[in-house]
Amino acid sequence: MPIRRKRLSLQKRIVVLMTAVSVGMISTMMIFDTYSLNQSIKEAYVSQISGMTIAINGRYEESRSVTDVQQIFDYIRYKNPHVLDMKLYNKEGFILAASNRTEIGKQLRAADVMIPYQDHTIVDRVPMAAHDRPVVRLTAPLQEDGSVVGAVEVFFDATEEQVLLEKRTKLILVVGISIAIILSILIWLILRSIVIRPLGKLREAANVVKQGGELPKLQMASSPEIEEVADAFNGMVANLDERYQQLQQALTTLEVAKDQLVQSEKMSALGGLVAGVSHEINTPIGIGVTAITYLDDRTKHFTEMFQQGKMKKSDLEQFLAVTHETNTMVLTNLERASALIRSFKQISVDQSVEIKRTIELKDYLDGIVASLRPALKKTHLRMDIICDEAIQLYTYPGAISQIMTNLVMNSLNHAYAPNEEGTLTMRVRDLGAHIEIAYSDDGKGMTQEVLDHIFDPFFTTSRGSGGTGLGMNIVYNVVTQSLNGMIHCYSTRGQGSLFSITIPKEEEALL
């Protein structure tokens, strides 16, 4: 089973989105402010060193004396305690003057020599590993007769500027976080008031409608969009109520039509039974009439012989033999007709009157098959009944007759091609408190699509031939509702079909 991911609510999504946007804007402001402050500090440094380099360049060009430059270094360090170190070196990296006298005359490493372009100042930060404080190095060009001949380096203590920058950053961060929190709370409250609460009312109203309750007109004093949604919901509820009434009326009409069709199907089956039994009774009665007519003719002939005194012993013996044979034939056929009428009467009564009674299941199934014999005679199909004669069932016999008749007629109409041979089987098993009737045929079977809809009302594969699609639906309803049983159908294309019916055995109530 797939795990359903928990999703954030609309309110939380909007709050998170707005918070993210606020944090992004505040971060942008912090970056911009920090950049602007750094630029201001850098410009202040450049301004300071510009004044220094102008003085140094002026004195150096005037006197060409390193001693004068050294004096300027000392004066600058004295006047500005933030200046940590100063150097003046030529293009080869030889230090000509320095606030630290011991460095004069030494040569810098090639990587440390930086000669700026004319009127250009290089500002960079010295790694913290080289000092115990933040230090900024400014390198300005040393000019002589308008040409760059070296560079002047000034190392500034940037502790105050660093502290200022950190304080400014913390201030912006605190203000930004406060603004984000306040903004998120305000957005949450606003959303709760104008969106979440109206949506909650709408959800409650939808649940009331889903459970079939009556809903008063939904009114919301909120934004125009929410009011439009409420109006649309009210219209939908009104439309649903109207549609429900229409569907209820259509369902009632459909139920009446279905009952009429079911009754028509029953009468049609009963009419077919009457026609079949009538045809079946004609045969024994016709034989009886023929036999009686022949006997009457022989009796008249025998009477004439007797009256004329021409009767011999052999004539008497022949007349007695014919009489016995004819009587036997008439009696046999009358008993056959009587059995057919009795079977027809019982089954027809069972199908028209729903009364529970105890039946001998084997005999009753034989009677059902006998009533279907006219239809079976028109085919090349054999009917087998496998049932213990001792099984008794207290049930609605008409329901049993209706189920088995519909199953057999379904096989005759759908399972076999004309003149195709086959076997229909009714196999009954005693399961103690229940019995199982397994009806099967070895016909052409069903596709999965037909099998999936076999018990659906009005589903038929022979609608063009007059099929109503109610036969198997009637079987299903009779088994599950009238007999409180279960029915399952199994079929494979080309391998026949099997209907397994399980119904409870009941004791006949004592009077």
Short mmCIF file of all heavy atoms in Angstrom, two decimals, residues 18 49 69 152 159 254 316 330 352 376 455 489-490:
data_model
loop_
_atom_site.label_atom_id
_atom_site.label_comp_id
_atom_site.label_asym_id
_atom_site.label_seq_id
_atom_site.Cartn_x
_atom_site.Cartn_y
_atom_site.Cartn_z
N MET A 18 6.01 33.42 2.33
CA MET A 18 6.24 34.83 2.66
C MET A 18 7.45 34.99 3.58
O MET A 18 8.22 35.95 3.45
CB MET A 18 4.99 35.41 3.33
CG MET A 18 3.77 35.47 2.42
SD MET A 18 4.09 36.43 0.92
CE MET A 18 4.44 38.05 1.60
N ILE A 49 45.08 57.61 2.24
CA ILE A 49 46.40 57.35 1.65
C ILE A 49 46.70 58.30 0.50
O ILE A 49 47.86 58.59 0.19
CB ILE A 49 46.50 55.89 1.20
CG1 ILE A 49 47.99 55.53 0.99
CG2 ILE A 49 45.69 55.63 -0.05
CD1 ILE A 49 48.21 54.06 0.74
N VAL A 69 61.47 61.39 3.61
CA VAL A 69 60.32 60.47 3.55
C VAL A 69 60.16 59.75 4.87
O VAL A 69 59.06 59.55 5.37
CB VAL A 69 60.51 59.47 2.39
CG1 VAL A 69 59.39 58.43 2.40
CG2 VAL A 69 60.54 60.18 1.06
N VAL A 152 54.19 52.93 -2.38
CA VAL A 152 54.12 53.25 -0.96
C VAL A 152 53.05 52.34 -0.35
O VAL A 152 51.91 52.31 -0.82
CB VAL A 152 53.76 54.73 -0.72
CG1 VAL A 152 53.64 55.00 0.77
CG2 VAL A 152 54.78 55.63 -1.35
N THR A 159 40.48 47.29 13.14
CA THR A 159 39.66 46.72 14.21
C THR A 159 38.36 47.51 14.40
O THR A 159 37.27 46.93 14.50
CB THR A 159 40.44 46.69 15.52
OG1 THR A 159 41.65 45.93 15.33
CG2 THR A 159 39.61 46.06 16.63
N LEU A 254 -37.52 3.29 -12.57
CA LEU A 254 -36.70 2.16 -12.99
C LEU A 254 -37.03 0.90 -12.20
O LEU A 254 -37.08 -0.21 -12.75
CB LEU A 254 -35.22 2.51 -12.85
CG LEU A 254 -34.21 1.50 -13.39
CD1 LEU A 254 -34.40 1.35 -14.89
CD2 LEU A 254 -32.78 1.96 -13.09
N LEU A 316 -62.36 -65.30 -29.46
CA LEU A 316 -62.47 -64.77 -28.09
C LEU A 316 -61.09 -64.53 -27.48
O LEU A 316 -60.83 -63.50 -26.85
CB LEU A 316 -63.28 -65.75 -27.23
CG LEU A 316 -63.44 -65.38 -25.76
CD1 LEU A 316 -64.17 -64.03 -25.63
CD2 LEU A 316 -64.21 -66.48 -25.00
N VAL A 330 -53.21 -47.81 -22.88
CA VAL A 330 -53.96 -46.62 -22.46
C VAL A 330 -53.60 -46.23 -21.03
O VAL A 330 -53.38 -45.05 -20.72
CB VAL A 330 -55.49 -46.88 -22.58
CG1 VAL A 330 -56.29 -45.74 -21.94
CG2 VAL A 330 -55.89 -47.03 -24.04
N SER A 352 -45.57 -19.33 -8.95
CA SER A 352 -46.51 -18.23 -8.80
C SER A 352 -46.84 -17.92 -7.35
O SER A 352 -47.31 -16.82 -7.04
CB SER A 352 -47.81 -18.54 -9.57
OG SER A 352 -48.40 -19.74 -9.08
N LEU A 376 -35.41 -29.41 -24.40
CA LEU A 376 -34.21 -30.23 -24.55
C LEU A 376 -34.31 -31.16 -25.76
O LEU A 376 -33.30 -31.49 -26.38
CB LEU A 376 -33.98 -31.06 -23.28
CG LEU A 376 -33.54 -30.27 -22.04
CD1 LEU A 376 -33.60 -31.13 -20.79
CD2 LEU A 376 -32.12 -29.72 -22.24
N PHE A 455 -24.05 -11.09 -13.93
CA PHE A 455 -25.20 -10.91 -13.04
C PHE A 455 -25.75 -9.49 -13.06
O PHE A 455 -26.65 -9.17 -12.28
CB PHE A 455 -24.84 -11.29 -11.60
CG PHE A 455 -24.47 -12.74 -11.44
CD1 PHE A 455 -23.23 -13.11 -10.92
CD2 PHE A 455 -25.35 -13.75 -11.80
CE1 PHE A 455 -22.89 -14.44 -10.77
CE2 PHE A 455 -25.02 -15.08 -11.66
CZ PHE A 455 -23.79 -15.43 -11.16
N CYS A 489 -19.83 -17.64 -10.40
CA CYS A 489 -19.74 -18.15 -11.76
C CYS A 489 -18.27 -18.26 -12.17
O CYS A 489 -17.48 -17.32 -11.93
CB CYS A 489 -20.49 -17.23 -12.73
SG CYS A 489 -20.44 -17.80 -14.45
N TYR A 490 -17.91 -19.38 -12.77
CA TYR A 490 -16.55 -19.61 -13.26
C TYR A 490 -16.66 -20.06 -14.72
O TYR A 490 -17.46 -20.92 -15.05
CB TYR A 490 -15.83 -20.68 -12.44
CG TYR A 490 -15.89 -20.44 -10.95
CD1 TYR A 490 -16.90 -21.02 -10.18
CD2 TYR A 490 -14.95 -19.64 -10.31
CE1 TYR A 490 -16.97 -20.81 -8.81
CE2 TYR A 490 -15.01 -19.41 -8.94
CZ TYR A 490 -16.02 -20.00 -8.20
OH TYR A 490 -16.08 -19.77 -6.85
#
